[in-house]
Amino acid sequence: MAAPQTTLGADLEPPTTDLITLTRHILSRQRALGEEASGDLTMLLIAIQVTSKYIASNVRKARLINLVGLAGASNVQGEDQKKLDVLSNDIMVNALSASGKCSVMVSEEVDEAIIVGGSKGTYAVVFDPLDGSSNIDAGVNVGTIFGIYKVSDPSKASVADVLKPGRDLVAAGYTMYGSSCNLVLSTGQGVDGFTLDEALGEFILTHPDIKIPSRGKIYSFNEGNSLHFYEPTNKYLESIKYPSNGKPYSARYIGSMVADVHRTLLYGGIFGYPDDKKSKDGKLRMLYEAFPMSFLTEQAGGVATTGTQRILDVVPKNIHGRCPVFLGSKDDVEDLKKFYAAWDGEKRW
């Protein structure tokens, strides 16, 4: 008797048999560089991949046990540190140190730059180990943000190796921990997204060559601060909420930068955390928030600005310095820039 045949529905396709893992993707980029590639960046990115898996596991556990309580201290920003913040920071620091490829680190959770003693690592890594952790009790997506710089002289590595504009980054990315674990990465050749397959224990390429739409229909601002916003920001928001064409933008604001930027990359629109009358320099930190996310945005075909200047051209004066952030679809951000260009108020940057 012949075995019954299985017929896929007209709208279904068989699963791919050519799985591209993050490790394979990184190695293919290394091979493309040929003799120019030392393999150091590959090893460093593999170390970051491992930390992402470990932090993802701990985020899941934290939602089951009281790991999200306060650690009894505050970070350099004056924010209460959560136990999971501290744990995630330690995971990152230990893994990057052990890789042997990193000689300088800057973390949101540590006051000073970390110089890895005895390391001849050719790279410096800046990172926010757990962005949005204040929301974790509510089940909101959180994430790790990172950027990578080349060290000028590994034998004399110092904080100067990270006090550079974002345009000098060689790689940047983030891992988002939520209903799925997604890692989005750019090494300066476009943006690719990977999803953790927990059965395989591997990040699989699921969003190749991400391109942000030239215009979106979503804006993502914390309008609870609009009382303090400068005029150009409020005028821009008014223009997309009450447009002449009768088609207003939709508001979507999660309060976790990783989640808000992830949605903006995929669907388009604009994300903004401006400076205002209360926060003169804005809230987001340049090195490990604004720069990596702006790098990814530009690599995906979008635009990132302070309102008056390209974010990746800003030169940080200290490792925890802040700047205004507007990023997203090219046409949407260009529209916002017009309001700043016409403004005769206080000039910044």
Side-chain angles (χ1 to χ4, degrees), residues 48 51-52 55 87-97 105 125-129 144-146 177:
I48 290 174
T51 67
S52 295
I55 294 174
L87 177 63
S88 300
N89 180 73
D90 291 347
I91 290 170
M92 290 286 290
V93 170
N94 290 334
L96 293 172
S97 298
M105 286 178 268
V125 183
V126 293
F127 56 90
D128 182 346
T144 299
I145 308 172
F146 62 89
Y177 315 111

Side-chain angles (χ1 to χ4, degrees), residues 72-152:
S74 60
N75 61 19
V76 67
Q77 321 301 333
E79 302 162 340
D80 289 333
Q81 285 180 308
K82 302 281 188 177
K83 293 176 184 178
L84 197 55
D85 283 322
V86 177
L87 177 63
S88 300
N89 180 73
D90 291 347
I91 290 170
M92 290 286 290
V93 170
N94 290 334
L96 293 172
S97 298
S99 74
K101 308 303 179 185
C102 177
S103 56
V104 183
M105 286 178 268
V106 170
S107 169
E108 182 195 24
E109 302 300 329
V110 181
D111 292 7
E112 305 293 336
I114 301 169
I115 309 299
V116 183
S119 173
K120 299 297 181 181
T122 53
Y123 291 97
V125 183
V126 293
F127 56 90
D128 182 346
L130 201 63
D131 175 71
S133 60
S134 62
N135 295 318
I136 197 170
D137 286 331
V140 173
N141 286 7
V142 295
T144 299
I145 308 172
F146 62 89
I148 302 175
Y149 288 98
K150 193 75 182 287
V151 171
S152 55

